[in-house]
Amino acid sequence: MLNIECPHCGARPEHEFRCGGDAHVVRPPLSASGETWAEYLFGHDNPKGDQTERWCHSFGCGLWFNVIRDTVSHEIRAVYPITAQRPEQAA
Amino acid sequence: MSHYSALSIARNALSGHSNWDPAWRSPEPAAAYDAIVIGGGGHGLATAYYLVRVHGLVKVAVLEKGWIGGGNTGRNTTIIRSNYFYPESAAFYEFSLKQYERLSSELNFNIMFSQRGVLVLGHSRHDMEMHRRSANAMRLNGIDADILSRDEVAKLVPALDCSPQARFPIWGGMIQRRGGTARHDAVAWGYARAADARGVDIIQNCEVTGFTIHQGQVTGVETTRGAIKSNRIGIAVAGHSSILAAKAGFRLPVKSYALQAMVSEPLKPVLDTVVLSPATGTYLSQSDKGELVIGGGLDLYASYAQRGNLPVNENTITGMLAMFPTFSRVRMLRHWGGVCDVVHDSSPIIGKTPVQGLYLSCGWGTGGFKAIPAGGYCLAHTMATGEPHELNAAFGLDRFDTGALIDEAAAASIPH
Ligand SMILES: Cc1cc2nc3c(=O)[nH]c(=O)nc-3n(C[C@H](O)[C@H](O)[C@H](O)COP(=O)(O)OP(=O)(O)OC[C@H]3O[C@@H](n4cnc5c(N)ncnc54)[C@H](O)[C@@H]3O)c2cc1C
Ligand SMILES: [Zn+2]
């Protein structure tokens, strides 16, 4: 069970949250090629290790925020606002 | 390779079963091969077998970072069925089911394939309408499917709570009677033994750490046991597909998630078919040893940990108890997880990659055990001839660019 630090509510158990997938995915312009759109829609880095992802405190305050989480140990390394850049990583 | 038979069991009994030949050799890796398959799961081993048996390749190796069958092939709930919706999937999975029907004798290895039926429950009028639609599609594709009434379900699965008070009342179900289960380890071991007997080198404890690529053509792999040359390489590493693709310089439309399962202590026979409930998100069967084999949905966030988390585990158990209240006192024996290669349209990717000579089989997600014979057959064909077989032509990586997805999300019955 993850203990996730909602920026608004503080630490709460994982089943109050919903993982919204990869963070920092940038929508291409309408003029982009089919391949670029396919990458945007379906491509994933899928790292074994630290991954940036979006979470929503859906059964709490409803806030969306970003998380850096290790996909092997599931340890959460950083929590930061949804519009912020990926921070220099806390080791 | 010595032939397995009743006679060979009797003969070996005389020496206290201490003189059986090993089922496969453990050779040192050679410097070069005609073809290399990365990943010693069911798909990799079957691919090697068909490369030699069907296409007559001579020097073939399977490179496995741990032990063969130690990945999802040895961790799954062993359900085999071909109840898919679209013609491409129907043809592919039905080919696989037909191979399973004769696999024990072909491989001379008892895979314990038991066609005990796979029943998907319907919990509402709408469920039953969707089941009828699926069953009709299956029959049009030449695959057996029957709709069962509530009473027929109650008769087939007496332990199931079919009362009107059930949390998710039973309205009926859809059954594929030719579906069933097989022994997962035996599928890996059977293919391994048959491939080894035809000269395939199965090399365990050998992790592929990189590729050598010359002007867009793959020329070999780097491994923890040294460099090995080959200009024809297949990747069949399930949840680790993105990692190897990144080493070859491309990205995949794959995300890795943990899928968990568990078994109970052994019980007297109580359930002789496979039951899936879309409403509770739980499915189960009873193994020949008597254990209840129980599975549910994927964990809710990406993971490379080979273990399931507890909230999903609790959901799965709760779902089982809603279906089978009599199991409330049953104790669980083991609980584990596997890393699944999940793709947006729940269909596999079998075919070419952006690198010449490098081929891929992945996207099996939560349902690739049933597909091992067909997946191996098709990857072998693609590697040997350079072009996909008609069974996997629609399952290329290019479908994500063209938009020709084959969305089989509903075919899993459990939201995966
Ligand atoms: C809990 C659970 C239940 C499931 N239930 C079912 C079911 O009922 N029916 C069904 O059809 N399917 C089911 N599946 C899915 C099925 O198990 C998989 O789709 C299938 O086994 C995939 O086979 P594979 O050979 O591709 O992968 P695997 O068996 O995972 O084999 C891949 C191998 O590649 C190796 N490897 C990885 N990286 C490297 C490297 N760098 N170098 C060398 N080797 C490497 C791994 O060690 C592994 O042994 C289930 C899966 C899970 C986890
Ligand atoms: Zn909150």
Side-chain angles (χ1 to χ4, degrees):
Chain A
M1 171 87 78
L2 297 182
N3 195 19
I4 302 173
E5 187 79 26
C6 169
H8 186 261
C9 310
R12 296 295 174 104
E14 99 181 38
H15 53 221
E16 291 186 12
F17 296 83
R18 205 174 89 80
C19 182
D22 293 354
H24 308 299
V25 179
V26 180
R27 189 188 172 93
L30 283 176
S31 56
S33 68
E35 287 76 24
T36 308
W37 275 99
E39 265 303 310
Y40 163 70
L41 287 170
F42 306 118
H44 294 293
D45 283 339
N46 199 18
K48 185 173 185 173
D50 287 351
Q51 160 163 292
T52 57
E53 49 195 31
R54 301 177 303 174
W55 283 77
C56 177
H57 193 188
S58 46
F59 297 101
C61 65
L63 183 72
W64 280 95
F65 53 94
N66 287 331
V67 160
I68 301 178
R69 188 178 59 88
D70 185 317
T71 57
V72 182
S73 68
H74 296 176
E75 188 179 346
I76 293 174
R77 306 225 187 264
V79 172
Y80 57 101
I82 193 79
T83 50
Q85 294 294 308
R86 178 185 173 137
E88 246 346 276
Q89 218 159 283
Chain B
M1 177 179 84
S2 58
H3 190 78
Y4 290 165
S5 64
L7 196 68
S8 72
I9 293 177
R11 197 172 339 102
N12 278 280
L14 295 177
S15 53
H17 292 293
S18 54
N19 288 329
W20 286 101
D21 293 334
W24 52 85
R25 299 162 296 132
S26 293
E28 285 300 310
Y33 288 94
D34 295 338
I36 289 176
V37 184
I38 308 172
H43 281 278
L45 294 163
T47 302
Y49 169 75
Y50 293 115
L51 276 172
V52 178
R53 203 212 77 197
V54 179
H55 302 282
L57 266 65
V58 180
K59 288 204 72 176
V60 175
V62 176
L63 309 181
E64 163 56 50
K65 77 171 171 189
W67 63 95
I68 60 169
N72 294 350
T73 299
R75 293 164 182 267
N76 75 87
T77 46
T78 78
I79 301 172
I80 294 168
R81 56 188 174 84
S82 62
N83 53 359
Y84 283 75
F85 190 79
Y86 292 100
E88 296 87 347
S89 324
F92 180 84
Y93 289 105
E94 179 60 14
F95 177 83
S96 208
L97 179 50
K98 290 217 170 90
Q99 300 301 309
Y100 264 122
E101 285 175 331
R102 39 176 280 218
L103 203 58
S104 288
S105 69
E106 176 174 346
L107 300 179
N108 179 230
F109 202 101
N110 185 4
I111 62 155
M112 298 168 72
F113 184 36
S114 156
Q115 292 176 291
R116 58 184 65 188
V118 174
L119 169 68
V120 187
L121 297 173
H123 297 281
S124 66
R125 186 158 60 81
H126 314 288
D127 277 5
M128 292 311 295
E129 279 169 8
M130 291 312 283
H131 281 338
R132 262 185 212 103
R133 180 168 178 257
S134 297
N136 287 338
M138 285 168 63
R139 287 177 164 214
L140 284 173
N141 287 324
I143 292 169
D144 69 300
D146 287 305
I147 295 295
L148 300 187
S149 67
R150 195 202 72 101
D151 290 349
E152 288 168 317
V153 169
K155 193 159 167 241
L156 185 66
V157 193
L160 185 67
D161 181 4
C162 291
S163 69
Q165 297 87 326
R167 171 67 185 84
F168 296 100
I170 309 293
W171 279 61
M174 176 179 76
I175 189 166
Q176 182 179 24
R177 297 185 202 272
R178 286 167 58 244
T181 57
R183 177 153 186 224
H184 47 17
D185 296 324
V187 173
W189 297 339
Y191 272 117
R193 176 168 167 272
D196 173 89
R198 287 172 169 79
V200 171
D201 282 357
I202 296 169
I203 300 161
Q204 306 185 72
N205 299 310
C206 179
E207 178 172 358
V208 171
T209 53
F211 295 94
T212 49
I213 296 170
H214 184 65
Q215 293 177 343
Q217 159 75 45
V218 73
T219 57
V221 289
E222 281 144 23
T223 80
T224 47
R225 294 176 67 175
I228 309 175
K229 285 197 169 55
S230 182
N231 51 21
R232 193 187 282 147
I233 297 174
I235 305 176
V237 297
H240 283 77
S241 300
S242 302
I243 309 291
L244 280 181
K247 296 200 154 91
F250 54 95
R251 286 205 324 165
L252 291 175
V254 170
K255 201 86 191 168
S256 297
Y257 289 93
L259 179 66
Q260 53 181 293
M262 68 210 103
V263 295
S264 73
E265 59 190 336
L267 308 178
K268 293 265 172 61
V270 62
L271 180 63
D272 61 0
T273 187
V274 181
V275 183
L276 299 95
S277 164
T280 65
T282 300
Y283 65 94
L284 65 163
S285 64
Q286 188 173 23
S287 75
D288 293 346
K289 280 189 282 181
E291 305 153 324
L292 297 173
V293 182
I294 306 154
L298 283 169
D299 283 11
L300 298 176
Y301 40 83
S303 175
Y304 281 89
Q306 280 183 322
R307 59 170 191 276
N309 68 15
L310 291 174
V312 170
N313 184 248
E314 197 174 341
N315 273 347
T316 306
I317 294 281
T318 310
M320 178 186 72
L321 293 182
M323 296 155 72
F324 297 94
T326 44
F327 293 160
S328 66
R329 308 289 286 275
V330 172
R331 283 164 298 192
M332 294 300 144
L333 268 194
R334 298 190 305 279
H335 167 235
W336 66 90
V339 184
C340 291
D341 37 341
V342 175
V343 164
H344 194 80
D345 61 356
S346 308
S347 283
I349 301 170
I350 322 164
K352 303 185 201 183
T353 71
V355 178
Q356 278 283 330
L358 188 60
Y359 303 91
L360 181 67
S361 167
C362 71
W364 298 110
T366 60
F369 176 70
K370 68 172 88 67
I372 285 172
Y377 191 88
C378 289
L379 180 59
H381 180 98
T382 313
M383 288 175 68
T385 66
E387 291 302 326
H389 189 274
E390 59 177 2
L391 284 171
N392 67 310
F395 294 109
L397 203 45
D398 54 351
R399 74 174 184 270
F400 296 92
D401 291 347
T402 61
L405 303 187
I406 303 170
D407 192 346
E408 288 286 2
S413 305
I414 307 293
H416 277 145

